[in-house]
């Protein structure tokens, strides 16, 4: 009887370890940027098996900060009219992309995504200050929430642009984008854009 209980316990402990796509663990993910820690939801508390929770993250103003980061990436892939609402497709793309990231880097793709978001988020931006018909740009700091939002948007936009009219699938392009952004290499569309934004802001201080 005791052995049966222990096997059940072992099975339960195995069952409650939540891994993304049943492969990638959320346990040892670190967020390298203190300011973004509260806005990149990768703690085991936010773990899920598939990035498709049907959560209502747009109800309140900062609710989407609680949305698991992989799910935000998935949602951001469903853009540009023809892809609206095709979340199952987006989930599949993310799954393939993560497999590719793991094969190319031998590391946890969730960690790569977090690094990519930290590297691809602009820290300084310029806003338009208009007075009396004269519009000049003024450099401003970017809030952590917007940094995460913009990084995710730039990464998916880069993947989409790379895959359009190309043999490479969107999953491969997304994987490349995430790996390059995580390394901080300027082959990544997101990193290029970030550098451009920061350079313009620096000129307008």
């Amino acid at each position: 009887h005791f052995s049966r209980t222990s096997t059940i316990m072992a099975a339960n402990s195995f069952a409650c370890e939540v891994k993304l796509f049943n492969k990638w663990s959320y346990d040892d993910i670190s967020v390298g940027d203190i300011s973004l820690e509260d806005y990149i939801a990768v703690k085991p508390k936010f773990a899920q098996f598939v990035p498709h929770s049907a959560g209502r993250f747009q109800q309140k103003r900062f609710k989407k900060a609680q949305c698991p980061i992989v799910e935000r990436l998935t949602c951001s892939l469903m853009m540009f009219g023809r892809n609206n609402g095709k979340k199952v497709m987006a989930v599949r793309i993310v799954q393939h992309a993560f497999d590719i990231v793991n094969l190319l880097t031998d590391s946890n793709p969730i960690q790569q995504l977090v690094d990519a978001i930290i590297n691809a988020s602009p820290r300084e931006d310029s806003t338009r200050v208009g007075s009396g018909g004269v519009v000049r740009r003024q450099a401003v700091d970017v809030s952590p929430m917007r940094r995460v939002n913009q990084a995710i948007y730039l990464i998916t936009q880069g993947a989409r642009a790379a895959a359009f009219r190309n043999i490479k699938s969107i999953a491969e392009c997304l994987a490349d984008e995430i790996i390059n952004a995580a390394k901080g290499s300027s082959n990544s569309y997101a990193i290029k854009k970030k550098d451009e934004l920061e350079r313009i802001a620096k000129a307008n201080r």
Side-chain angles (χ1 to χ4, degrees):
H1 174 74
F2 173 72
S3 64
R4 181 160 172 266
T5 336
S6 58
T7 43
I8 290 173
M9 289 289 286
N12 286 353
S13 67
F14 169 70
C16 63
E17 152 81 312
V18 178
K19 294 183 175 181
L20 181 68
F21 301 124
N22 237 336
K23 287 181 190 171
W24 319 119
S25 163
Y26 284 89
D27 286 343
D28 42 354
I29 306 286
S30 64
V31 179
D33 191 325
I34 298 178
S35 59
L36 300 183
E37 258 173 7
D38 299 335
Y39 293 95
I40 297 184
V42 285
K43 300 265 187 304
K45 183 179 119 182
F46 300 109
Q48 46 183 181
F49 285 106
V50 272
H52 191 318
S53 65
R56 296 161 60 190
F57 293 110
Q58 300 292 339
Q59 300 292 324
K60 277 219 295 294
R61 188 166 162 211
F62 285 105
K63 188 89 173 285
K64 60 181 173 183
Q66 291 344 112
C67 180
I69 199 71
V70 186
E71 181 160 358
R72 298 204 51 191
L73 180 78
T74 311
C75 292
S76 179
L77 275 172
M78 309 188 285
M79 279 190 194
F80 286 85
R82 56 186 189 169
N83 301 327
N84 288 160
K86 300 183 184 174
K87 191 157 184 180
V88 176
M89 183 173 87
V91 169
R92 201 195 65 233
I93 290 168
V94 170
Q95 185 174 359
H96 291 334
F98 273 20
D99 283 338
I100 298 168
V101 169
N102 177 252
L103 288 171
L104 291 178
T105 60
D106 296 331
S107 56
N108 188 335
I110 306 176
Q111 180 66 59
Q112 290 281 319
L113 175 65
V114 172
D115 296 345
I117 286 172
I118 289 171
N119 286 340
S121 53
R123 288 157 297 200
E124 191 178 29
D125 202 353
S126 49
T127 179
R128 296 181 52 183
V129 177
S131 56
V134 182
V135 175
R136 51 181 283 265
R137 311 294 295 265
Q138 173 67 38
V140 288
D141 295 333
V142 183
S143 70
M145 182 81 179
R146 177 159 167 81
R147 284 182 61 183
V148 176
N149 296 350
Q150 208 163 0
I152 293 172
Y153 174 69
L154 288 175
I155 288 171
T156 53
Q157 200 183 16
R160 199 177 294 115
F164 189 58
R165 293 193 177 163
N166 196 342
I167 308 171
K168 282 172 77 169
S169 71
I170 180 98
E172 291 170 48
C173 294
L174 183 63
D176 283 349
E177 187 68 39
I178 288 172
I179 292 167
N180 285 333
K183 282 192 302 203
S185 99
S186 57
N187 296 350
S188 147
Y189 174 89
I191 298 279
K192 273 188 208 148
K193 278 282 185 202
K194 172 204 138 174
D195 289 344
E196 189 185 335
L197 284 168
E198 288 188 351
R199 202 177 62 242
I200 295 170
K202 191 176 177 188
N204 292 317
R205 275 181 191 161

